[in-house]
Amino acid sequence: MGGSFGTPHGGRPARVVGAALAAGLLLSGCSGEEDVPVLTWYINPDDGGQATLAQQCTEEAEGAYRIETSLLPADAPSQREQLARRLAAGDDSLDIMSLDPPFIPELAEPGFLAPVPDETAEATTEDTLEGALAGAMWNEELVAVPFWANTQLLWYRESVTEEAGLDMDEPVTWDQVIEAAMEQDKLLGVQGTRAESMTVWLNALVESQDTSILVDPEARAVDLETNFDTAEGEKAADIIGTIGTEGLAGPGVASMDENQSMLLFQGDNGSFMVNWPFVWAATKAAVDEGVLEQDLLDDIGWSQYPRVDEDTASAPPLGGINLGVGADSENQDLAFDAIECIVQPENQTEYFITNGNPPSSESAYDDEALEEDYPMADAIREALANAAPRPQTPFYNEISTAIQQEFTPISGVREDSTPAETDSFIVEVLRGERLL
Amino acid sequence: MNGSSRPRGGTGKKSNRAKSEARLGWLIAGPAFFIMLSVTAYPIAQAVYDSLFSFRLTAPDDRSFVFLQNYLTIFSDVEVFWQALGVTLFVTVVTVAVELVLGFGLALVMHKALKRIRGALRTAILVPYGIITVVSAFAWYYMFDINSGFVNNWFSWVPGIDSDLDWFANFPTAITIIMASEIWKTTPFIALLLLAGLAQVPDELVEAAKVDGASWRQQMTRVILPNMKAAIMVAVLFRALDAFRIFDNVFIMTNGSANTEVLSLLAYRTSIGRLEIGLGSAVSVILFICVLLICFIAIKFFKVDLASGTDAKGGK
């Protein structure tokens, strides 16, 4: 603009015209945007997919609302802390929140989440996979809208399974996995760090035996009972303890999170790994960059999460993100409109391809574009149908922290003592008789 | 303030000048005193009040008055509270003792260093202290981490260190690294305080001792150290208070696993992690009382004179 008006001797008139024009532009720009309600979407960190969706839905809304994203901390517990603090303080900027399923009951129970209108529930959960839907419920009501779902698969090195003579088209058990790794002197990729991943693993082992960690998840704190001191709890402790005491997960298991176990699996001693699907995209990217060999990628296979009992189907962990609306938000109706836009199946597919997070909607898997980037998409869909959520209770954080303390380091887990100790520890903590 | 302005004889009436100086002192320092009181006393009072309730942030309707129940729960918990207190005291005693020795050595070096390099030397020694604690905690964590660290590779020739050593998996190694990072970071602080103490020792006294034929050891124990007592005690007190509140290193490196939990981490996890405001406040109040106790013990029994070496005492 300056160039066309700012002739050397243009003097005042040119400047006045310029200023007026600029002011006019500014005014029109502002007045246009000021009328539009702004929805704040608190997002968990990703590869930019949520910001893109926010922009797409803002455009689709054609002036009805504008979505702005606000980034939450990196790990799930810190996200929970920040959201819980803001919600408890009545922060009205929490229009849309990306919520981790296990923390939803804690926020829903005190009424921090706005109820999901029937029409939104109908429009968004028509074909939601069963496991993902269970993670968005509390007290038999839908309290958040499933956006994407996550689950773990059993990843394996074909060279190892061939050597062990395992037929990976058939379901395998933890005992078989342990035996194969032990015989070939290989390492297992599990998550042994003192973090929520420990609860994820233990919960999957117990759920795979058709049992739940909690006797009644909806019980009050003082009445809550856990189910570890049972045959199922002992079997789960036996699996974790064996891997720990035999050193099957490597020397660094005490600090091994999902990423570390992936690095171990990619190494020369890798054999099996239970992990989320992001490892596929990450490994592929490393091969494209020349960090890892193509041979490695060719050697990697996947199947359903290992069984505990030969005859009982496994219940893999369930993760993902649901979208909730803050009870104090001033734009609740618009927020639910925006959520309906965000979670459309085609958006979920797009989000899967660009960010590696699997859809919670079944039809989102029908897109053929998926096959190329995620050849295991069908396996993920199948796993999600069987997936079991972590205990749905407002006291999940307490229970999970107690589990982490009792089950780490995994080399100290004993089937005859750890489950019973965990049982009494959790009960005492919830009754306020002990610190955590 | 110099000697002449003091009331003579001790019991006599204050002179007009002394009174007006005192008034001026209050006028100048009063606002700061009031602000300090309101920003420190208010949160403490709030924490004491909250600690009498059973109150969870995510269950606002279940708030109930339990009087001292939270404290009872805490004091009867051997595995968590007493263990955390024990670890905290252990870290405090060990780090302060080691830092005192190292810091004195550094102070001597700085004191004796040639004038030309003195400035550069002080700056070099101060560098670790200038690094933000959480940053130095990350640096130490990544150095020793079994997956990304280089220590296991570089020092595999040292007995006991090999590529399979997970430093943060066991208490002895984990607490050693935590304390080492603390010592590395705060020794310069002690060294600076001791250097100030060293500078206060009158040169004449040392000269006289030399003339009398005192050995280096005798000069140290009979002349220099006794004259530095005040500076040493201030250094110990400040560092002990600091070490007792250790948080960042433990939070980053182990997050309390391998039995390395300390009191401030327990307070954080209870009130921020579990959102148990009542119980967490009680832990914080106990932490605060411990800090007060340390101050009290130091001032009462070890006679730390916080005013020595400043003009408030009326001279050197």
Side-chain angles (χ1 to χ4, degrees), chain A residues 13-37:
Chain A
R15 254 182 283 152
V16 169
V17 174
L21 218 107
L25 277 175
L26 254 166
L27 270 175
S28 64
C30 275
S31 63
E33 300 213 335
E34 251 169 25
D35 300 338
V36 177

Side-chain angles (χ1 to χ4, degrees), chain A residues 86-136:
Chain A
R86 282 174 181 266
L87 287 165
D91 186 339
D92 61 13
S93 77
L94 297 154
D95 299 317
I96 307 172
M97 296 170 282
S98 292
L99 300 168
D100 223 356
F103 302 128
I104 287 178
E106 188 182 19
L107 303 180
E109 176 68 13
F112 288 167
L113 300 181
V116 180
D118 291 341
E119 53 272 29
T120 305
E122 250 169 65
T124 54
T125 57
E126 244 179 354
D127 66 343
T128 301
L129 292 159
E130 204 177 319
L133 193 59

Side-chain angles (χ1 to χ4, degrees), chain A residues 80-81 84-85 88 106-107 110 112 194 251-252 254-255 260 394-395 397-398 401 405 429 432-436, chain B residues 56-58 60 73-74 77 79-81 145-147 164 166 169 256-257 266 268-269 272-276 279:
Chain A
R80 161 188 165 272
E81 280 165 26
R85 282 208 303 268
E106 188 182 19
L107 303 180
F112 288 167
R194 186 191 269 198
S255 51
Q260 298 293 357
F395 310 101
N397 186 55
E398 258 89 352
T401 312
Q405 294 193 2
V429 165
E433 292 159 8
R434 286 190 69 169
L435 290 170
L436 191 56
Chain B
R56 233 180 110 81
L57 201 60
T58 48
T73 309
I74 293 168
D77 201 314
E79 264 181 56
V80 180
F81 174 72
D145 180 41
I146 185 169
N147 300 300
D164 282 359
D166 189 352
S257 65
L266 179 65
Y268 167 82
R269 283 201 311 108
I272 311 286
R274 292 179 61 192
L275 305 167
E276 288 277 2
L279 204 56

Side-chain angles (χ1 to χ4, degrees), chain A residues 15-298:
Chain A
R15 254 182 283 152
V16 169
V17 174
L21 218 107
L25 277 175
L26 254 166
L27 270 175
S28 64
C30 275
S31 63
E33 300 213 335
E34 251 169 25
D35 300 338
V36 177
V38 175
L39 303 174
T40 314
W41 179 9
Y42 283 80
I43 57 168
N44 58 312
D46 62 0
D47 288 343
Q50 289 173 103
T52 310
L53 286 177
Q55 207 185 341
Q56 274 178 25
C57 286
T58 299
E59 279 161 23
E60 273 179 46
E62 288 173 344
Y65 54 78
R66 191 155 57 86
I67 309 176
E68 271 179 12
T69 55
S70 180
L71 194 62
L72 288 168
D75 59 309
S78 312
Q79 291 164 17
R80 161 188 165 272
E81 280 165 26
Q82 182 174 143
L83 290 172
R85 282 208 303 268
R86 282 174 181 266
L87 287 165
D91 186 339
D92 61 13
S93 77
L94 297 154
D95 299 317
I96 307 172
M97 296 170 282
S98 292
L99 300 168
D100 223 356
F103 302 128
I104 287 178
E106 188 182 19
L107 303 180
E109 176 68 13
F112 288 167
L113 300 181
V116 180
D118 291 341
E119 53 272 29
T120 305
E122 250 169 65
T124 54
T125 57
E126 244 179 354
D127 66 343
T128 301
L129 292 159
E130 204 177 319
L133 193 59
M137 313 273 287
W138 171 241
N139 273 342
E140 286 156 32
E141 259 179 57
L142 190 77
V143 291
V145 177
F147 169 38
W148 57 273
N150 212 356
T151 190
Q152 295 197 348
L153 294 176
L154 175 66
W155 304 86
Y156 58 86
R157 300 282 288 266
E158 280 170 4
S159 49
V160 175
T161 51
E162 271 168 31
E163 176 85 28
L166 284 174
D167 176 9
M168 296 308 287
D169 291 332
E170 295 293 314
V172 291
T173 64
W174 277 98
D175 290 339
Q176 286 173 311
V177 166
I178 289 172
E179 204 185 297
M182 222 182 318
E183 271 174 8
Q184 296 177 49
D185 231 357
K186 297 277 185 182
L187 298 176
L188 291 176
V190 290
Q191 290 93 49
T193 181
R194 186 191 269 198
E196 218 226 321
S197 51
M198 199 65 230
T199 313
V200 170
W201 185 15
L202 182 67
N203 185 58
L205 289 176
V206 175
E207 288 281 353
S208 291
Q209 301 171 74
D210 269 344
T211 308
S212 292
I213 283 184
L214 298 183
V215 178
D216 173 18
E218 286 168 20
R220 293 164 54 225
V222 286
D223 303 323
L224 213 84
E225 281 177 71
T226 51
N227 246 337
F228 291 110
D229 199 8
T230 55
E232 288 85 1
E234 280 173 19
K235 181 62 194 165
D238 178 36
I239 291 171
I240 295 174
T242 307
I243 293 174
T245 46
E246 299 285 341
L248 286 174
V253 66
S255 51
M256 201 169 283
D257 55 18
E258 282 101 3
N259 212 37
Q260 298 293 357
S261 57
M262 173 182 79
L263 296 177
L264 181 89
F265 176 74
Q266 291 169 344
D268 294 339
N269 288 322
S271 61
F272 296 89
M273 163 175 73
V274 283
N275 215 333
W276 314 97
F278 83 93
V279 299
W280 179 253
T283 311
K284 229 170 114 175
V287 170
D288 289 344
E289 281 167 25
V291 181
L292 295 171
E293 299 289 326
Q294 178 66 36
D295 291 356
L296 171 75
L297 202 64
D298 297 338

